[in-house]
């Protein structure tokens, strides 16, 4: 546990480094801030922080920079101070999502763009799993006598399309009746509510009357189930991240981009542990991330929605991150997405 003075010196050093990306010396701190102590005392405090691993000195004649341990102590102090209480989302943002985005994809894209613009970092928003959200509506659209498109809308706003080639011809009247019967079966249920044995029971009881009904029902459920194994993200700000001075070296940015551009790996990274959670938020700093390629970034992650039907919001930037600003931005995005549903 750091004393109040040492914690303040560390916080000011981090604020300076976040702003300028340059090592910070004792002279900078004493000239720019009223610390109420002599320059010699500040130098002693910096030496203590360095000895304890909170800061490091890149070169003998240079100032100091924060370490992962220093950032962690800083974030923990922010949390303990109460300044990161749930922030109110902008009413304008919520109304914008409601008015401009009719489908979930559009809402998440708008939220991701706003978050990246505000933080100047990479913003990632993952959709809730479609297989765990109740079905709200099924619409069947004829392309020909044997080709149709099934349009599925889930309760969380997800819209999925599935092209189906029927085993026999189907008239417009028959398609309309098929749509009504399948809506009676599906609406209000998730695809997880239906097992293979359930479909056989529905067929035996006459609830599913024809082979076409069974074919379309199975295709719709398969479409929803496939969403579970193929998580999709809305990412904005990859170029902003690549432009940070920390990643000017190609050798450091290439392995990072390989992870961030892979949906499956990225989702696993954001979802893997809750060691540093703050209520609904997780903050992983540098070496706290599992993959070595992520040792130069910090990740602030939160969830929107509830229970199994939840999505993920994240901001990824260098460890030299404005943690207070980014954490509040993620909190605001979560509230906006929850309120806009």
């Amino acid at each position: 546990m750091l004393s109040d003075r040492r914690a303040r010196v560390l916080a000011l050093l981090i604020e300076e480094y976040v702003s300028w990306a340059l090592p910070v010396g004792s002279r900078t701190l004493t000239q720019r801030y009223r610390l109420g102590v002599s320059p010699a005392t500040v130098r002693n405090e910096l030496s203590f922080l360095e000895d304890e691993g909170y800061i490091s000195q890149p070169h003998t004649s240079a100032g100091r920079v924060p370490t992962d341990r220093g950032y962690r102590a800083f974030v923990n102090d922010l949390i303990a101070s109460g300044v990161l209480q749930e922030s109110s989302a902008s009413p304008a943002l919520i109304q914008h999502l409601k008015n401009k985005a009719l489908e979930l994809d559009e809402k998440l894209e708008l939220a991701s763009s706003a978050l990246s613009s505000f933080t100047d970092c990479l913003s990632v928003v993952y959709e809730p799993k479609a297989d765990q959200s109740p079905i709200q509506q099924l619409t069947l659209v004829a392309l020909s006598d044997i080709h149709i498109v099934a349009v599925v809308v889930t309760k969380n706003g997800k819209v999925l399309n599935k092209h189906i080639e029927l085993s026999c011809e189907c008239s417009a009247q028959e398609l309309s009746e098929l749509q009504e019967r399948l809506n009676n079966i599906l609406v209000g249920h998730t695809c997880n509510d239906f097992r293979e044995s359930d479909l056989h029971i529905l067929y035996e009881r006459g609830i599913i009357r024809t082979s076409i009904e069974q074919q379309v029902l199975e295709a719709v459920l398969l479409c929803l189930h496939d969403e579970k194994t193929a998580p999709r993200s809305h990412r904005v700000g990859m170029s902003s991240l690549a432009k940070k001075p920390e990643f000017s070296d190609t050798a450091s940015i290439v392995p990072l981009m390989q992870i961030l551009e892979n949906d499956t790996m990225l989702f696993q990274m954001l979802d893997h542990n809750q060691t540093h959670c703050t209520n609904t938020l997780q903050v992983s700093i540098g070496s706290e991330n599992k993959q070595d390629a992520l040792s130069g970034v910090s990740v602030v992650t939160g969830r929107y929605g509830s229970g199994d039907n939840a999505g993920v919001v994240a901001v990824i930037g260098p460890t030299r991150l404005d943690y207070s600003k980014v954490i509040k931005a993620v909190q605001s995005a979560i509230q906006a997405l929850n309120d806009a549903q």
Side-chain angles (χ1 to χ4, degrees), residues 38-328:
S38 67
T41 300
V42 175
R43 288 194 294 272
N44 288 337
E45 298 294 37
L46 291 175
S47 295
F48 174 88
L49 292 171
E50 184 176 359
D51 291 342
E52 294 299 314
Y54 292 96
I55 60 177
S56 64
Q57 193 170 25
H59 308 288
T60 305
S61 60
R64 273 86 164 186
V65 299
T67 63
D68 290 350
R69 185 181 185 192
Y71 284 124
R72 170 52 58 195
F74 176 70
V75 170
N76 289 347
D77 282 347
L78 280 176
I79 296 165
S81 69
V83 300
L84 299 180
Q85 296 296 326
E86 289 290 325
S87 52
S88 297
S90 164
L93 173 58
I94 296 172
Q95 196 60 44
H96 185 64
L97 291 178
K98 288 182 176 179
N99 292 343
K100 300 295 184 180
L102 299 178
E103 297 183 4
L104 182 65
D105 281 354
E106 294 172 325
K107 293 178 183 178
L108 300 187
E109 193 67 33
L110 285 171
S112 185
S113 295
L115 197 54
S116 177
S117 177
F118 184 72
T119 62
D120 193 33
C121 292
L122 172 63
S123 167
V124 186
V125 181
Y126 267 95
E127 303 170 353
K129 295 179 180 179
D131 68 313
Q132 295 176 340
S133 180
I135 297 166
Q136 183 169 301
Q137 182 180 347
L138 168 67
T139 303
L140 302 179
V141 181
L143 300 179
S144 70
D145 290 340
I146 61 171
H147 292 92
I148 67 171
V149 173
V151 182
V152 185
V153 181
T154 63
K155 189 175 180 180
N156 63 21
K158 182 67 181 172
V159 179
L160 303 172
N161 300 314
K162 178 69 174 179
H163 180 273
I164 305 171
E165 182 177 352
L166 301 176
S167 56
C168 59
E169 294 184 359
C170 185
S171 67
Q173 180 63 32
E174 290 171 332
L175 189 64
S176 176
E177 294 173 355
L178 173 60
Q179 176 180 295
E180 182 179 357
R181 290 197 299 272
L182 290 181
N183 269 298
N184 289 335
I185 295 171
L186 291 171
V187 171
H189 296 281
T190 72
C191 86
N192 290 337
D193 293 336
F194 296 93
R195 298 182 298 275
E196 188 173 349
S197 58
D198 295 326
L199 299 182
H200 289 304
I201 293 173
L202 291 174
Y203 195 82
E204 290 172 358
R205 292 179 178 176
I207 298 174
I208 299 177
R209 302 178 185 177
T210 66
S211 59
I212 289 182
E213 284 187 33
Q214 184 172 1
Q215 179 188 3
V216 175
L217 178 59
E218 290 176 347
V220 169
L221 295 177
L222 180 61
C223 174
L224 288 164
H225 185 271
D226 285 346
E227 287 293 302
K228 177 174 62 177
T229 56
R232 293 194 298 173
S233 66
H234 298 260
R235 280 172 288 188
V236 180
M238 192 76 80
S239 60
S240 296
L241 182 64
K243 290 176 183 177
K244 301 297 183 186
E246 290 87 344
F247 306 120
S248 58
D249 181 9
T250 304
S252 65
I253 193 63
V254 170
L256 175 61
M257 290 302 175
Q258 288 175 340
I259 292 178
L260 299 184
E261 291 177 351
N262 184 305
D263 260 337
T264 300
M265 292 180 68
L266 182 58
F267 184 78
Q268 290 173 349
M269 177 191 79
L270 299 180
D271 204 46
H272 81 273
N273 81 58
Q274 299 294 312
T275 301
H276 300 291
C277 273
T278 68
N279 296 326
T280 59
L281 290 184
Q282 168 188 331
V283 182
S284 296
I285 300 171
S287 57
E288 294 172 358
N289 294 301
K290 282 190 173 181
Q291 296 91 339
D292 290 341
L294 303 175
S295 61
V297 301
S298 287
V299 186
V300 179
T301 311
R303 294 183 182 278
Y304 66 93
S306 59
D308 292 332
N309 184 32
V312 176
V313 177
V315 169
I316 302 171
T319 54
R320 182 184 57 85
L321 198 65
D322 188 336
Y323 290 94
S324 177
K325 181 178 181 178
V326 170
I327 291 173
K328 289 180 179 179

